[in-house]
């Protein structure tokens, strides 16, 4: 049976207040970056990690949009690495953390309160790089998000995003009596997930939505990006206690991270004929 949906406006209003509350209680995702991260901001952001480079070799002067990224971490670190940074986030209190860190560390960061599915305050093709930490789960419809990101990314520009994996959001946060994780929520039905207790998997008090891989990967492609790489960051600890974050992650990877590039201007399309 289809569960009743919630209007976009009601979701935004609810989640702005929920994230303000999480910032006020200094929740894990509302912890600004500390001295260690500021000691090597490019390395902390993943610039030096082995494997294919997801970030440009240098961030000096690169126009970066940190989207849904309030909390005093991503925006100030990109600015410390030399980028020209804009942070867009729904929650005034999460943005206040960015403002405070930028002030304290004497960093220039443009801070804008708004929703990631309406970036009309930003000029088209402005950004070389859009960085989007986990936050699409807080909106019922992600198509508009990817279309907006595509509009503000310059042709040839990069879009790095991370999302909660659909299977992980569909599964029970903890094990059943047999020690198994069960699929308990349907996929992509437009309704918010049932409220969950406190855990690293869900943020207390927020409305969250499952987005299928079709909506995430397909939505990014449909908006005009080419996906160049996908990974599921490693959090598995098979020997950890049953029900712990690490044990569950050995069965269900919690996140999916996507590297995409905006089609360059004038690049021709490709016709693919599928024959069954
Ligand atoms: C996981 S946190 C961001 C990164 C976090 N500070 C960290 O340490 O990784 C998710 C953010 O998404 C923001 N958010 C939720 N809904 C949003 C929306 N519709 N538009 C923009 N930001 C939104 C929240 O306010 C919150 O700051």
């Amino acid at each position: 049976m289809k569960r009743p949906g919630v209007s976009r406006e009601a979701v935004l209003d609810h989640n702005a207040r929920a994230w303000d509350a999480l910032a006020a209680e200094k929740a894990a995702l509302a912890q600004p970056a500390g001295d260690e991260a500021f000691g090597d901001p490019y390395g902390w952001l993943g610039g030096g990690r082995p494997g294919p480079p997801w970030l440009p070799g240098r961030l000096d002067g690169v126009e970066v949009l940190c989207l849904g990224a309030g909390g005093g971490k991503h925006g100030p670190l990109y600015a410390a690495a030399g980028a020209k940074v804009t942070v867009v986030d729904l929650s005034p209190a999460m943005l206040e953390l960015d403002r405070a860190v930028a002030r304290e560390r004497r960093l220039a960061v443009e801070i804008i309160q708004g929703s990631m599915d309406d970036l009309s305050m930003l000029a088209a093709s402005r950004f070389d790089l859009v960085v989007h930490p986990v936050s699409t789960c807080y909106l019922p419809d992600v198509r508009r998000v990817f279309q907006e990101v595509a509009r503000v990314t310059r042709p040839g520009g990069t879009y790095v995003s991370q999302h909660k994996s659909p299977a992980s959001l569909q599964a029970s946060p903890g094990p059943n009596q047999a020690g198994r994780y069960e699929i308990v929520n349907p996929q992509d039905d437009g309704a918010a997930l049932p409220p969950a207790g406190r855990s690293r998997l869900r943020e207390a008090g927020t409305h969250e939505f499952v987005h299928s891989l079709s909506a995430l990967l397909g939505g990014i492609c449909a908006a005009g990006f080419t996906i160049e790489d996908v990974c599921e960051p490693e959090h598995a600890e098979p020997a950890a206690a049953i029900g712990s974050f690490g044990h569950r992650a050995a069965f269900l990877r919690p996140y999916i991270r996507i590297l995409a590039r905006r089609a360059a201007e004038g690049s021709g399309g490709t016709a693919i004929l599928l024959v069954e």
Side-chain angles (χ1 to χ4, degrees), residues 3-269:
R3 295 174 296 157
V6 201
S7 77
R8 171 184 177 272
E9 287 65 32
V11 170
L12 295 187
D13 186 53
H14 178 97
N15 280 343
R17 281 185 284 118
W19 274 100
D20 282 353
L22 289 165
E25 70 180 51
K26 298 186 168 52
L29 292 170
Q31 299 284 338
D35 290 342
E36 197 185 328
F38 279 104
D40 176 19
Y42 185 74
W44 189 90
L45 292 164
R49 113 176 103 219
W54 281 35
L55 293 184
R58 294 168 59 88
L59 288 167
D60 292 320
V62 172
E63 281 267 8
V64 177
L65 171 62
C66 295
L67 186 59
K73 199 181 284 173
H74 296 82
L77 284 172
Y78 274 96
K84 291 160 80 174
V85 174
T86 303
V87 180
V88 171
D89 196 282
L90 185 65
S91 154
M94 290 296 276
L95 289 172
E96 195 46 46
L97 295 170
D98 292 282
R99 204 170 277 121
V101 175
R103 201 183 307 121
E104 187 190 331
R105 307 230 173 220
R106 297 174 181 274
L107 297 166
V109 178
E110 186 184 6
I111 289 173
I112 300 174
Q113 190 203 343
S115 179
M116 62 183 113
D117 62 348
D118 177 7
L119 302 177
S120 51
M121 68 300 230
L122 299 172
S125 302
R126 172 171 162 186
F127 295 98
D128 302 301
L129 170 64
V130 177
V131 177
H132 194 177
V134 171
S135 53
T136 47
C137 51
Y138 307 112
L139 272 177
D141 178 5
V142 283
R143 278 169 308 181
R144 278 179 59 178
V145 177
F146 299 137
Q147 284 160 7
E148 283 294 80
V149 174
R151 190 184 63 76
V152 302
T153 306
R154 71 161 169 78
T158 309
Y159 176 37
V160 176
S161 60
Q162 182 156 310
H163 312 266
K164 294 192 182 180
S165 296
S168 177
L169 278 179
Q170 286 181 261
S172 55
N176 64 15
Q177 287 188 338
R180 306 271 183 226
Y181 304 100
E182 296 175 302
I183 298 290
V184 291
N185 297 310
Q187 199 174 75
D188 247 349
D189 66 354
L193 288 166
R198 246 159 238 285
S199 77
R200 274 180 72 182
L201 298 163
R202 302 276 308 276
E203 284 66 56
T206 62
H207 281 329
E208 289 191 77
F209 301 83
V210 178
H211 300 301
S212 64
L213 291 177
S214 307
L216 296 173
L217 302 174
I220 289 173
C221 294
F225 289 99
T226 301
I227 292 178
E228 295 188 343
D229 204 353
V230 174
C231 76
E232 296 169 285
E234 181 66 78
H235 294 281
E237 291 176 55
I242 293 176
S244 65
F245 182 79
H247 181 267
R248 187 180 185 274
F251 293 81
L252 282 165
R253 297 275 173 110
Y255 307 112
I256 177 169
R257 190 180 293 164
I258 302 161
L259 170 66
R261 190 158 314 282
R262 175 103 163 82
E265 238 147 41
S267 62

